[in-house]
Amino acid sequence: MTKKALIAMSGGVDSSVAACLMKEAGYDCIGATMKLFHNDAIGISEDSGCCSVDDMEDARSVASSLGMPYYVFNFSDRFREEVMDKFVCAYENGITPNPCIECNRRLKFEYLHTRAKELGYDYVVTGHYSIIEYNRSTGRYELKKASDPAKDQSYVLYSMTQEQLSHTMFPLGTLSKPEVRKLAEVHGFINADKGDSQDICFVPSGKYTDFIEGYTGKTYPEGNFVDMDGNILGRHKGIIRYTIGQRKGLGLSLKEPMYVVKVEPETNTVVLGRDSDLFTTTLTAKNINLISVDNLYTPMRVKARVRYKHVEQWATATQLDENTLQVVFDEPQRAITKGQAVVLYNEDKVVGGGTIV
């Protein structure tokens, strides 16, 4: 019996080539674009940015060229509740979120999986650069780094469950970006030369503070900058504008370089310190998900990343309870930030991860 796959198509080259590879492998495929938000609601043109008419037309064109039915699923209400609202709430509470992880967790690998199952499809397929393999000795599905280190996206996929991994395919995991673009050119795809999206999809300008103020209709009050001893150094322009480790844009004239080391929403205060004050060896993470192992109650040597571009560092990870991890690094790490994800690796395998608290 032919296996059936629902291809998540963004209109970009990666998901288009993923669709092509699945068709060539003999799968019965449909293409689907998730409409995550209405562009006019966030102040950008319907003809530009993520979820634009152009993106959907590119996806539709590729699906048509492959002989695949194509659909648009309206997940805008869920995206607003699960991603955009949480993004705003995090900044209002002095936390720096990673909305791409939440989108993967809730939209692509929860709601889209549910929709695929309802339609009778066996797999959800995306253009992510990562590898899924089944380990017969452990009886667990494993998530591994992509073959191309420059494109690896395993960090933002750590929240995938065993059930989700068993019904997901990443056809691009062993390919490089130039190889993907070459395949798109060979097949004459309209988006073969389309650039990669770089920003948060609902903040295409990169100015997240403008988005938050426009989305909420709020003006965030000024407050005090203080040093580590509580001495007032000046006035800040609203806590949503500051993240841990920030130096630029403080608007202060100081005797030495100072960095944001803490944001305190309770007192509307931003605490500044020296670069050395940003380093720590220990973090705690909640909302954890483990992939390659059942638990970490026995301490495990791992390499850990505390943000997307962070270079992995040696650490010891220990599970404290059902939903809590403690990670102790061999060497102090700079600007470990609440709201970001810590992801643990054993060589090329994702052990698991959680949200830094």
Side-chain angles (χ1 to χ4, degrees):
M1 183 174 174
T2 303
K3 289 287 188 179
K4 303 171 74 175
L6 184 154
I7 319 297
M9 301 185 71
S10 65
V13 65
D14 294 330
S15 56
S16 298
V17 171
C20 178
L21 293 174
M22 295 301 292
K23 284 288 290 184
E24 290 180 346
Y27 286 79
D28 178 3
C29 300
I30 62 169
T33 295
M34 297 187 297
K35 180 67 174 176
L36 299 179
F37 52 84
H38 298 284
N39 287 16
D40 57 355
I42 61 170
I44 62 174
S45 167
E46 288 289 343
D47 296 323
S48 63
C50 180
C51 290
S52 70
V53 172
D54 288 346
D55 284 334
M56 287 187 280
E57 287 307 310
D58 287 350
R60 192 185 306 277
S61 170
V62 171
S64 176
S65 72
L66 294 172
M68 291 167 42
Y70 172 77
Y71 302 92
V72 176
F73 297 148
N74 184 4
F75 287 164
S76 57
D77 287 346
R78 288 168 173 168
F79 187 78
R80 184 184 66 252
E81 295 168 3
E82 299 283 0
V83 180
M84 295 167 76
D85 287 352
K86 290 181 178 179
F87 177 85
V88 170
C89 183
Y91 273 105
E92 290 180 334
N93 286 279
I95 295 168
T96 306
N98 188 321
C100 296
I101 289 176
E102 284 305 305
C103 182
N104 284 327
R105 187 198 306 268
R106 300 300 183 197
L107 277 297
K108 290 187 180 75
F109 302 113
E110 183 174 326
Y111 296 132
L112 192 59
H113 265 272
T114 299
R115 184 64 58 87
K117 188 175 181 180
E118 291 170 349
L119 294 172
Y121 282 76
D122 304 291
Y123 297 100
V124 167
V125 177
T126 76
H128 284 101
Y129 287 81
S130 190
I131 296 169
I132 298 171
E133 291 182 354
Y134 182 70
N135 187 325
R136 294 186 181 278
S137 63
T138 64
R140 299 182 69 84
Y141 284 87
E142 295 178 339
L143 179 68
K144 296 185 175 183
K145 296 177 184 177
S147 298
D148 182 355
K151 294 300 296 180
D152 174 53
Q153 292 173 294
S154 59
Y155 175 86
V156 297
L157 300 169
Y158 82 87
S159 65
M160 293 184 71
T161 66
Q162 288 292 302
E163 173 69 14
Q164 291 164 353
L165 289 165
S166 71
H167 292 283
T168 302
M169 300 183 78
F170 298 139
L172 308 188
T174 59
L175 300 177
S176 67
K177 188 70 179 214
E179 290 172 325
V180 168
R181 288 205 183 276
K182 184 64 177 179
L183 286 170
E185 291 171 4
V186 168
H187 288 85
F189 291 161
I190 193 171
N191 52 14
D193 296 322
K194 191 172 184 177
D196 294 338
S197 58
Q198 299 294 330
D199 299 308
I200 297 170
C201 67
F202 55 92
V203 193
S205 69
K207 298 178 180 178
Y208 71 90
T209 53
D210 290 350
F211 164 77
I212 293 172
E213 290 179 329
Y215 185 76
T216 63
K218 296 179 183 178
T219 299
Y220 293 88
E222 293 185 357
N224 288 328
F225 283 118
V226 301
D227 64 19
M228 299 288 285
D229 296 319
N231 300 306
I232 296 175
L233 301 173
R235 299 286 284 175
H236 68 67
K237 298 184 181 299
I239 62 170
I240 64 166
R241 288 173 165 76
Y242 307 97
T243 57
I244 306 304
Q246 180 177 336
R247 177 187 174 188
K248 295 182 179 179
L250 301 181
L252 297 176
S253 179
L254 301 168
K255 295 179 181 179
E256 61 181 320
M258 299 284 276
Y259 303 81
V260 175
V261 297
K262 188 183 297 185
V263 178
E264 299 181 339
E266 312 84 20
T267 58
N268 193 29
T269 300
V270 177
V271 182
L272 304 182
R274 296 179 176 86
D275 186 67
S276 59
D277 295 320
L278 289 167
F279 286 82
T280 185
T281 57
T282 303
L283 67 80
T284 303
K286 295 280 191 180
N287 198 21
I288 68 174
N289 182 64
L290 299 177
I291 295 179
S292 68
V293 295
D294 287 315
N295 64 73
L296 284 171
Y297 288 114
T298 300
M300 182 178 183
R301 291 289 289 167
V302 296
K303 281 194 170 182
R305 291 166 64 183
V306 297
R307 63 186 66 86
Y308 188 64
K309 295 296 186 180
H310 183 229
V311 177
E312 295 163 23
Q313 300 293 319
W314 279 107
T316 300
T318 309
Q319 187 171 349
L320 303 181
D321 59 39
E322 183 179 356
N323 200 36
T324 309
L325 281 175
Q326 183 183 74
V327 180
V328 181
F329 289 92
D330 291 8
E331 300 291 337
Q333 301 301 304
R334 187 180 187 276
I336 295 175
T337 304
K338 289 191 295 184
Q340 294 290 291
V342 58
V343 178
L344 314 177
Y345 291 88
N346 178 6
E347 296 180 344
D348 64 339
K349 299 177 185 177
V350 175
V351 177
T355 304
I356 299 169
V357 298

